[in-house]
Amino acid sequence: MAEQSGSIAVSSGVPIRGLMPGGAIWKHISRFARRKPLGAFGAVIALILIIVAVFAPFIATHDPAATNGALVYAPPGSQLLLGGDQLGRDVFSRLVYGARVSLYAGLLSAFIGASIGMVVGVASVHFGGKTDLIVQRIIDTMMAFPPLILAITIMAALGASLNNVVIALTIAYIPSAARVLRSQALAIKEMDYILAARAIGASHGRIIFRCMIPNCLALYIVLVSVFLGTAIVAEATLSFLGIGVPPDVPSWGGMLNGAAQTYVHLAPWLGVFPGLAIAIVVFAWNLLGDALRDVLDPRLRGTW
Amino acid sequence: MATLLEVKDLRTHFFTREGVVKAVDGVSYAIEEGETLGLVGESGCGKSVSALSIMRLVPDPPGKTVGGEIIFDGQDLLKLPDSEIRRVRGKQIAMVYQEPMTSLNPVLTIERQLTESLELHLAMSKTEARREAVRRLEQVGIPDPERRLKQYPHQFSGGMLQRVMIAIALSCNPKLIIADEPTTALDVTIQAQILDLMKNLSREYGVSLLIITHNLGVVARYADRVNIMYAGKVIERGTARDIYRHPSHPYTLGLLNSVPRLDLPRTEKLDPIEGQPPDLMHLPAGCAFRERCRFAIARCAQEIPPLRPVSAGHLSACFVAETLLSRAKEHAA
Amino acid sequence: MTAVERTQREPGDDVLIEVKHLKMYFPVTSGVLVQRTVGYIKAVDDVSFVVRRGETLGLVGESGCGKTTTGRCVLQLYRPTAGSVLFDGEDLCSMNGRELRGMRRYMQVIFQDPYSSLNPRMTAGDIVGEPLLVQGLATDRRAYRERVAELLSLVGLRTSMADRFPHEFSGGQRQRIGVARALAVNPQFIVCDEPVSALDVSIQAQIVNLLEELQEKFDLTYLFIAHDLSVVRHISDRVAVMYLGHIVEIAGRNAIYATPLHPYTKALLSAVPIPDPVIDTQRERIPLAGEVPSPLNPPSGCVFHPRCWMATAECQQVIPELREVQTGHFVACIHAPGYGSP
Ligand SMILES: Nc1ncnc2c1ncn2[C@@H]1O[C@H](COP(=O)(O)OP(=O)(O)O)[C@@H](O)[C@H]1O
Ligand SMILES: Nc1ncnc2c1ncn2[C@@H]1O[C@H](COP(=O)(O)OP(=O)(O)O)[C@@H](O)[C@H]1O
Ligand SMILES: [Mg+2]
Ligand SMILES: [Mg+2]
């Protein structure tokens, strides 16, 4: 059998012949860039943002924590690229450093939350019966709290730290992800190919991970983009309440949440730039996610 | 008998991203008043699209009727303005679909769905429409119609829903009912009930029927004449007797031979038509059936065989139709 | 043991599947928080039959009468409410999940719907090869690939199609993939659940012929479920007729089509259309009034009595058991000739 053409070998991944020859990866990437320019654009933005976060000290023009009385509310332009905040700190440099916390917390909690939620939702549907009933009641209970309140409760138990923020947000997203993917999983469970998998003696793990989850990916991608935006802001809220990262560590959500809201009429750039940064992340993921969804869907193979 | 509907050289194509799908490509047929016409062919050969074209309901885009005429009651339906075609739909030509469950609105009672068109097309009052609705349900054999009117589609079985669909189709006294695979989703026992019902009502009211099906057996008893379609074209037409007893197109013959028959001794092996229908986007040159045909000759690859008479009222689009016909007659004798 | 089992299973018979008093009741629940069982759908209600090695047993009946459920219970895809299913003498119903997974090597299934039965995200080759991986039947990558290629060509597909996804195939080709998947483990027994119902007539014949060829080649035993009686006559050695969860008649192919004894069988046969206007209009039709009642509330006595033109007062009370009235011909109707007193 010839090498699998055109698919990034997600489909089923039969281990015996799923491996891709080394050079093929570049072929796939260049093909992706040609056929899905918007998706590639999204990927490039995401990559740039991650590079910015990693190399923040080299990119920032100022010390993000350095205050300067002369630059309080300095408008964007000559002195400071994106203006100064209420303590005269450089907004640009804070944005650059803020990418570290925001992307870390946002990406991790959105992806992990959606992933665990997907597995929980799908597995619960797969096992059905009492298991499903119990899982659903637990999810109901968790969903009775708004995600932020849930996260705050968890943070209170865990103590303040960036990693704990990620853990708290991840847990907070699991129930809604599980609930949303459940509907999809219920439809998939009724398909005969699930029964066919059982009829050949497939294990539970195989049915969940090979048969059901690949058919949930479209919804998963949408879910991640929803979570991504809210996670970045939620991290800031936790920090603002003093249970996240220390307030002097810059983050986009923190910038948006703090002085920006109070002084927005005086210095709109305090809100505009961090807001824009969050929007760009979500936008980049949407572009990339849309393209990925098409690429991962064998029905669209050949059209991309 | 006068001709009620005449479809002339109808061409409906779908303009998709991948190419042009010639779903209906030069189809002509006529339906006489009071006649039951069968339209038979494998799925995907363009039966539904040809019916939707008559009603001007082909989804556009990507579909477009690019040629032909549909003369109904002396006027070309393809030329009517939208406001007038709406008056033809439902009132003069009604449709019954394969899936009654999806063609009825699940959140409205049967009463609402039945009286709606009565009030709209026949300008009846609410009470009149209701009385008429009860009468119609009785007519299609639904027991306890008063109670049934208050119910929703999901409370009906498939067969009962199809009866409701027929009641709705009949409600405005149409001249033609197009039934697109009306019994495909039903059991044989229910299928017989529904077709008997349609045939009786058609006789009683002089309504013409166009019955579309992929199963030749279904319409043998009911159709006066039958059109066989293949890959967007009518390839054989004749009276039911002609078609079933003296098939003169290899495709018709193949269809008849491939089904096991209860009235004949059991054969050791079935005789299928090999291969599969062509892709309507990449039709081969010449006869579309050529590649699956046992009788193909060199000429079939070059020219598209025209639909031409082989005996009175019996047409076939095959170069060797005469040979087949005489063989069939010999066989029958 | 009732009379039925004794006689259906004759001494020296090579019985592969033996189903005894099989029942499958689906609970109907209501309530949002606390689910209460308010009744049972008796999809299969006390069904017994045997399938001999190498034969095809046809199972016919209107939709909703429990054919699919019976087939799935036999394979233990549904765990039956009661009864037993013996596969080569071993009771499948008493096996645990792991033991059953091992048994899947010997029994397989082909589904009705060629669209929902193939995972849209797997290639044809992966679908056909999956059973080999799951059952550990491929020793190495080469053996695996060769076996997949062999299976594809066995069902009449080109080996080069292995990398295509299901949506790139026609209905008939998809059904062939389904057949290849079932064959992958070299099973002895296959439940064919309406394998041709969703296909066009010209393609139906191709698949029926394929199934027959494979049966001969690999000595397969089929439980062939269908609602098309003409196809069932063609492919089956014996035929069982089901109605509302019960088997109402079982007999050899010729007996059941030449001399049907149960009124339901007669009505079913008379409703089958014959593609010949002259013959079809001359034939007598037994019109069957109404529809199959809900299995949630089956009629008392003989479940067929509300639709039966022969029903008497007795039929409303007595549940007729399946009795042998002629050699190998079993019927459950007190009015059937030779049935004796109820
Ligand atoms: N919306 C559509 N877009 C593209 N192609 C279509 C569309 N609807 C139908 N077709 C094509 O038109 C052909 C005829 O379809 P149809 O008339 O529905 O067949 P049938 O004979 O089964 O009723 C098919 O090959 C189908 O692929
Ligand atoms: N999983 C299920 N849960 C509840 N009811 C079911 C289930 N499967 C089948 N049924 C019911 O059991 C009856 C028999 O169904 P089925 O075996 O699919 O019939 P057939 O295959 O003969 O059409 C039907 O009334 C159906 O609604
Ligand atoms: Mg159609
Ligand atoms: Mg079924």
Side-chain angles (χ1 to χ4, degrees):
Chain A
M1 261 161 285
E3 165 220 329
Q4 234 179 325
S5 64
S7 88
I8 303 195
V10 241
S11 55
S12 62
V14 168
I16 284 191
R17 63 179 194 92
L19 294 172
M20 220 186 292
I25 211 121
W26 286 111
K27 237 172 62 196
H28 281 291
I29 289 175
S30 81
R31 180 186 164 85
F32 182 79
R34 264 181 294 122
R35 298 295 180 89
K36 291 277 171 199
L38 282 179
F41 180 58
V44 169
I45 298 178
L47 207 65
I48 290 176
L49 288 171
I50 291 171
I51 291 175
V52 165
V54 172
F55 296 102
F58 303 103
I59 293 165
T61 50
H62 295 72
D63 177 353
T67 57
N68 182 344
L71 293 175
V72 172
Y73 298 136
S78 53
Q79 285 166 300
L80 297 174
L81 190 55
L82 302 180
D85 69 2
Q86 72 280 10
L87 298 177
R89 295 173 297 190
D90 177 29
V91 170
F92 174 72
S93 300
R94 288 183 71 75
L95 270 184
V96 168
Y97 273 93
R100 295 183 150 188
V101 167
S102 295
L103 288 182
Y104 183 78
L107 290 176
L108 275 187
S109 57
F111 277 102
I112 302 176
S115 305
I116 298 180
M118 171 161 70
V119 174
V120 168
V122 169
S124 160
V125 165
H126 167 70
F127 289 108
K130 286 234 159 56
T131 317
D132 191 33
L133 214 64
I134 293 168
V135 172
Q136 286 316 305
R137 291 303 83 83
I138 295 174
I139 287 176
D140 282 345
T141 316
M142 286 173 78
M143 283 184 76
F145 302 95
L148 198 61
I149 304 287
L150 193 59
I152 289 171
T153 319
I154 299 166
M155 285 303 291
L158 294 176
S161 89
L162 182 55
N163 279 330
N164 287 348
V165 169
V166 172
I167 293 173
L169 287 177
T170 300
I171 295 175
Y173 288 135
I174 290 174
S176 34
R179 180 53 52 85
V180 170
L181 282 156
R182 181 184 157 75
S183 55
Q184 180 93 11
L186 280 172
I188 293 169
K189 191 189 182 183
E190 292 308 310
M191 302 305 261
D192 283 343
Y193 59 81
I194 300 299
L195 210 58
R198 289 180 48 207
I200 60 171
S203 61
H204 294 303
R206 193 176 184 96
I207 292 173
I208 293 171
F209 289 100
R210 288 266 157 76
C211 301
M212 299 182 79
I213 282 183
N215 286 292
C216 290
L217 283 181
L219 205 52
Y220 170 80
I221 288 170
V222 175
L223 213 56
V224 169
S225 33
V226 174
F227 289 168
L228 206 53
T230 53
I232 294 175
V233 178
E235 175 277 319
T237 311
L238 294 181
S239 300
F240 180 68
L241 294 173
I243 48 178
V245 293
D248 53 319
V249 176
S251 81
W252 298 346
M255 295 167 72
L256 197 59
N257 233 349
Q261 288 180 7
T262 328
Y263 303 106
V264 71
H265 54 286
L266 277 175
W269 56 90
L270 291 189
V272 168
F273 293 118
L276 214 56
I278 296 174
I280 288 174
V281 173
V282 175
F283 179 66
W285 170 252
N286 273 327
L287 291 180
L288 181 60
D290 262 2
L292 279 180
R293 199 182 50 209
D294 289 355
V295 171
L296 297 183
D297 190 341
R299 273 159 295 201
L300 299 175
R301 199 170 72 145
T303 65
W304 67 273
Chain B
M1 262 195 292
T3 301
L4 176 68
L5 175 92
E6 193 172 1
V7 178
K8 285 189 197 162
D9 198 30
L10 180 69
R11 288 167 199 278
T12 301
H13 298 175
F14 290 93
F15 298 88
T16 66
R17 252 199 326 181
E18 292 85 42
V20 181
V21 180
K22 296 184 177 172
V24 176
D25 199 26
V27 162
S28 306
Y29 55 80
I31 305 176
E32 310 289 317
E33 275 174 18
E35 181 188 38
T36 299
L37 184 70
L39 185 58
V40 182
E42 275 173 289
S43 59
C45 73
K47 306 180 298 292
S48 299
V49 171
S50 86
L52 291 175
S53 303
I54 294 174
M55 302 287 272
R56 293 244 309 260
L57 286 172
V58 175
D60 175 13
K64 218 168 182 61
T65 298
V66 293
E69 286 171 59
I70 295 172
I71 313 290
F72 179 77
D73 241 7
Q75 50 188 350
D76 186 353
L77 295 185
L78 293 179
K79 297 215 173 80
L80 283 188
D82 280 357
S83 56
E84 279 179 52
I85 190 78
R86 246 175 271 134
R87 240 175 293 152
V88 173
R89 275 182 216 148
K91 185 157 171 13
Q92 312 211 30
I93 305 179
M95 258 189 111
V96 174
Y97 299 90
Q98 172 173 353
E99 291 287 344
M101 207 56 180
T102 52
S103 31
L104 287 169
N105 187 336
V107 297
L108 296 183
T109 59
I110 296 300
E111 173 168 359
R112 275 287 298 281
Q113 311 199 39
L114 250 172
T115 55
E116 194 182 294
S117 63
L118 291 171
E119 288 169 28
L120 186 77
H121 288 309
L122 301 184
M124 288 189 180
S125 72
K126 267 221 141 56
T127 42
E128 270 178 325
R130 208 188 124 73
R131 210 173 313 126
E132 182 66 11
V134 172
R135 199 174 69 82
R136 293 293 184 187
L137 284 192
E138 255 166 16
Q139 211 169 39
V140 295
I142 292 186
D144 201 2
E146 300 269 355
R147 186 175 60 88
R148 289 301 228 168
L149 269 184
K150 294 267 166 285
Q151 296 185 332
Y152 292 87
H154 70 93
Q155 291 166 296
F156 287 71
S157 69
M160 281 294 161
L161 272 188
Q162 207 54 297
R163 287 172 191 268
V164 171
M165 287 302 294
I166 293 170
I168 292 176
L170 276 174
S171 63
C172 295
N173 304 314
K175 295 183 179 150
L176 170 66
I177 295 182
I178 301 177
D180 190 356
E181 310 257 4
T183 61
T184 304
L186 306 175
D187 280 305
V188 276
T189 51
I190 311 297
Q191 172 176 299
Q193 292 174 3
I194 296 290
L195 288 169
D196 282 335
L197 173 72
M198 292 199 3
K199 187 71 185 177
N200 291 339
L201 291 171
S202 135
R203 280 213 192 93
E204 195 172 330
Y205 296 97
V207 187
S208 303
L209 281 179
L210 175 60
I211 301 184
I212 298 176
T213 172
H214 69 273
N215 186 345
L216 258 178
V218 167
V219 288
R221 178 190 275 239
Y222 304 96
D224 301 309
R225 289 189 305 147
V226 177
N227 283 308
I228 310 283
M229 263 186 95
Y230 189 77
K233 291 188 161 59
V234 172
I235 51 96
E236 186 167 6
R237 161 166 48 245
T239 61
R241 218 188 150 101
D242 282 339
I243 295 284
Y244 292 92
R245 290 248 152 149
H246 317 300
S248 55
H249 193 285
Y251 177 61
T252 316
L253 187 66
L255 277 185
L256 284 168
N257 284 345
S258 60
V259 289
R261 281 173 62 160
L262 281 187
D263 60 322
L264 297 180
R266 179 179 174 275
T267 51
E268 263 318 302
K269 232 169 148 39
L270 293 181
D271 186 13
I273 304 176
E274 294 303 341
Q276 40 188 331
D279 180 351
L280 295 183
M281 214 181 307
H282 309 287
L283 281 175
C287 175
F289 187 61
R290 189 186 79 237
E291 282 159 7
R292 304 173 76 186
C293 184
R294 286 174 202 172
F295 304 92
I297 53 175
R299 197 176 165 198
C300 303
Q302 284 126 32
E303 298 169 52
I304 296 180
L307 190 64
R308 66 203 167 84
V310 288
S311 66
H314 188 178
L315 294 83
S316 164
C318 178
F319 293 127
V320 297
E322 283 76 12
T323 325
L324 289 176
L325 187 63
S326 55
R327 266 178 41 164
K329 291 210 158 130
E330 250 168 59
H331 192 73
Chain C
M1 257 200 192
T2 69
V4 178
E5 287 152 40
R6 257 201 315 277
T7 37
Q8 268 194 44
R9 174 169 196 156
E10 283 147 20
D13 245 8
D14 195 2
V15 169
L16 182 63
I17 301 285
E18 185 166 4
V19 174
K20 290 198 258 184
H21 301 295
L22 185 73
K23 288 184 186 170
M24 184 71 220
Y25 294 177
F26 293 107
V28 180
T29 55
S30 93
V32 186
L33 269 180
V34 185
Q35 303 238 311
R36 244 167 354 103
T37 301
V38 292
Y40 291 96
I41 293 178
K42 300 184 176 178
V44 176
D45 200 8
D46 199 356
V47 157
S48 305
F49 60 89
V50 299
V51 190
R52 301 192 179 92
R53 205 180 293 275
E55 84 167 345
T56 300
L57 176 68
L59 186 59
V60 293
E62 283 168 286
S63 61
C65 71
K67 305 182 295 296
T68 296
T69 308
T70 304
R72 292 182 181 176
C73 283
V74 169
L75 295 176
Q76 303 293 309
L77 290 173
Y78 295 163
R79 298 311 288 258
T81 312
S84 59
V85 176
L86 306 185
F87 185 98
D88 221 356
E90 286 182 71
D91 189 1
L92 299 178
C93 296
S94 61
M95 290 188 184
N96 63 26
R98 206 161 42 82
E99 289 169 321
L100 266 178
R101 278 211 278 279
M103 287 303 289
R104 307 253 170 247
R105 275 193 63 172
Y106 307 106
M107 46 188 206
Q108 274 301 313
V109 55
I110 299 169
F111 295 92
Q112 167 172 10
D113 183 354
Y115 290 88
S116 86
S117 60
L118 305 180
N119 188 339
R121 296 195 177 250
M122 286 171 80
T123 62
D126 291 343
I127 290 170
V128 172
E130 194 177 28
L132 304 173
L133 299 178
V134 167
Q135 293 289 340
L137 297 176
T139 42
D140 58 32
R141 189 193 277 233
R142 233 189 89 215
Y144 170 86
R145 271 200 297 240
E146 277 169 10
R147 177 76 177 135
V148 169
E150 182 192 346
L151 285 163
L152 288 175
S153 50
L154 203 56
V155 297
L157 294 173
R158 283 197 301 279
T159 317
S160 60
M161 293 174 168
D163 287 340
R164 294 203 198 158
F165 286 93
H167 69 97
E168 297 170 74
F169 292 94
S170 68
Q173 290 176 321
R174 288 168 149 256
Q175 210 56 314
R176 288 175 191 267
I177 298 174
V179 173
R181 168 176 61 195
L183 286 177
V185 295
N186 249 327
Q188 299 177 11
F189 173 65
I190 301 182
V191 173
C192 309
D193 190 355
E194 312 228 16
V196 299
S197 303
L199 305 177
D200 273 305
V201 280
S202 73
I203 310 295
Q204 281 189 7
Q206 296 177 2
I207 300 293
V208 167
N209 280 351
L210 173 68
L211 289 173
E212 286 187 321
E213 280 158 26
L214 294 171
Q215 178 167 43
E216 204 161 298
K217 205 165 184 173
F218 300 111
D219 209 6
L220 294 168
T221 304
Y222 289 147
L223 176 62
F224 191 93
I225 299 173
H227 63 256
D228 183 335
L229 283 103
S230 26
V231 170
V232 167
R233 181 182 78 153
H234 179 81
I235 203 169
S236 309
D237 300 300
R238 289 186 308 128
V239 178
V241 181
M242 252 188 118
Y243 185 78
L244 209 59
H246 299 262
I247 286 182
V248 296
E249 187 164 359
I250 301 191
R253 175 216 312 150
N254 295 334
I256 211 155
Y257 283 92
T259 53
L261 294 178
H262 198 283
Y264 179 62
T265 314
K266 290 182 191 170
L268 265 188
L269 281 172
S270 83
V272 176
I274 287 181
D276 186 314
V278 183
I279 297 172
D280 204 37
T281 30
Q282 280 165 359
R283 234 159 36 112
E284 197 200 342
R285 274 254 181 99
I286 302 171
L288 209 47
E291 307 188 347
V292 186
S294 156
L296 191 56
N297 249 322
S300 65
C302 169
V303 283
F304 185 58
H305 84 256
R307 296 175 80 189
C308 185
W309 68 97
M310 290 168 68
T312 54
E314 216 178 350
C315 297
Q316 298 175 25
Q317 275 125 39
V318 191
I319 298 177
E321 56 163 3
L322 202 55
R323 275 193 202 164
E324 186 168 30
V325 292
Q326 281 152 29
T327 320
H329 196 148
F330 298 80
V331 64
C333 171
I334 57 173
H335 299 298
Y339 189 80
S341 58

